[in-house]
Amino acid sequence: MPRYDYRCRSCGATFELSRPMAASADPAACPEGHTDTVKLLSTVAVTGGATAPVQRPSGGGGGCCGGGCCG
């Protein structure tokens, strides 16, 4: 289940809730019980790396046909 970040406008607390995507915009009370909250825009972190560089085809020389014969 996705987690969403919220901020309370009354006390300034930032908190997260796990809820279905369909309920992400529903009102959320802060841990202090205030109901004046807003959903924050969150960022997604993707980690990892490529195992090998992308290999590009060699050869050719440019030009319209790739052969270097056009001028």
Side-chain angles (χ1 to χ4, degrees), residues 3-17 19 23-31 33-42:
R3 291 183 178 192
Y4 298 96
D5 295 322
Y6 297 86
R7 176 170 290 137
C8 178
R9 291 181 180 170
S10 298
C11 67
T14 301
F15 59 98
E16 65 180 34
L17 293 175
R19 46 174 43 178
S24 68
D26 290 353
C30 83
H34 304 120
T35 56
D36 188 14
T37 59
V38 293
K39 185 175 131 193
L40 301 175
L41 179 63
S42 55

Side-chain angles (χ1 to χ4, degrees), residues 39-54:
K39 185 175 131 193
L40 301 175
L41 179 63
S42 55
T43 58
V44 176
V46 179
T47 60
T51 56
V54 176

Side-chain angles (χ1 to χ4, degrees), residues 56-70:
R56 304 275 183 217
S58 61
C64 61
C65 62
C69 61
C70 304

